[in-house]
Amino acid sequence: MQDLQWIDYLGLVGAFLSSVTFLPQVYRAWKTKSVGDLSIWMILILLANVSTWLVYGIYKGDLAIIIANSIILALSLLMLVFKLSFGKA
Amino acid sequence: MQDLQWIDYLGLVGAFLSSVTFLPQVYRAWKTKSVGDLSIWMILILLANVSTWLVYGIYKGDLAIIIANSIILALSLLMLVFKLSFGKA
């Protein structure tokens, strides 16, 4: 196993921050049940974006990309469900 | 210059989609002047996340990462400005 350099740690920090970016938004939507200001197109493009990176990560065998994008995919799907269900209420 | 393979094109598609993900959200916030449902923490973590990837991309000399994250950084800053200004109105 190669020694990790500071830039590799920075990549891990980036992957971690990417993973948790949408956590507060999902929590807020769940708590307030209010999603009117969320753009459905942001959520749909996010799903496409994250799915693309997931395929990319799987092909490249890059575990950081796979893990980060799996988490973002789950959070985006939750945002989509909240947008569609709370949006109609 | 190396020949690009399909996986490289997929990476470019991912970078493009990542760049434009927040465009509809910025447009919606600008149009509606309503940002109450947006999580300030999502925006702040996004700023930290994108800044980290920007430093990473600059260090690695990866143009796709640099361009995508510069665009996302600009869009996140707009979201922050909208959240702070429209949020107080």
Side-chain angles (χ1 to χ4, degrees):
Chain A
M1 189 178 172
Q2 277 186 294
D3 284 333
L4 290 177
Q5 293 192 319
W6 72 269
I7 191 72
D8 300 311
Y9 285 109
L10 194 73
L12 290 176
V13 170
F16 172 76
L17 288 172
S18 300
S19 306
V20 299
T21 297
F22 296 98
L23 203 57
Q25 185 61 65
V26 165
Y27 174 74
R28 187 182 182 94
W30 171 252
K31 202 182 61 170
T32 62
K33 310 276 187 279
S34 175
V35 292
D37 297 335
L38 287 183
S39 164
I40 182 81
W41 287 104
M42 174 188 72
I43 299 171
L44 292 177
I45 298 175
L46 183 62
L47 280 169
N49 146 6
V50 165
S51 306
T52 304
W53 285 121
L54 203 51
V55 174
Y56 184 90
I58 290 168
Y59 184 86
K60 292 266 184 178
D62 187 317
L63 203 63
I65 295 183
I66 294 172
I67 294 174
N69 283 283
S70 300
I71 296 171
I72 306 172
L73 182 62
L75 292 172
S76 333
L77 286 171
L78 274 176
M79 273 200 286
L80 182 65
V81 168
F82 290 169
K83 175 71 185 175
L84 294 178
S85 48
F86 301 150
K88 285 183 180 164
Chain B
M1 192 177 171
Q2 275 187 293
D3 284 332
L4 289 178
Q5 294 191 320
W6 71 269
I7 192 70
D8 300 312
Y9 285 109
L10 195 73
L12 290 176
V13 170
F16 172 75
L17 288 172
S18 301
S19 305
V20 298
T21 296
F22 296 99
L23 203 55
Q25 185 63 64
V26 166
Y27 174 73
R28 186 183 183 92
W30 171 252
K31 202 181 62 170
T32 63
K33 309 277 187 281
S34 174
V35 291
D37 296 335
L38 288 183
S39 165
I40 181 83
W41 286 104
M42 175 188 73
I43 299 171
L44 292 177
I45 298 175
L46 183 63
L47 280 169
N49 147 4
V50 164
S51 306
T52 304
W53 285 121
L54 202 52
V55 173
Y56 185 89
I58 290 168
Y59 184 85
K60 292 267 185 179
D62 187 318
L63 204 62
I65 294 183
I66 295 172
I67 293 174
N69 283 284
S70 300
I71 296 171
I72 306 171
L73 182 63
L75 292 172
S76 334
L77 286 172
L78 273 176
M79 274 200 285
L80 182 65
V81 169
F82 290 170
K83 176 71 184 173
L84 294 178
S85 47
F86 301 150
K88 285 184 181 164

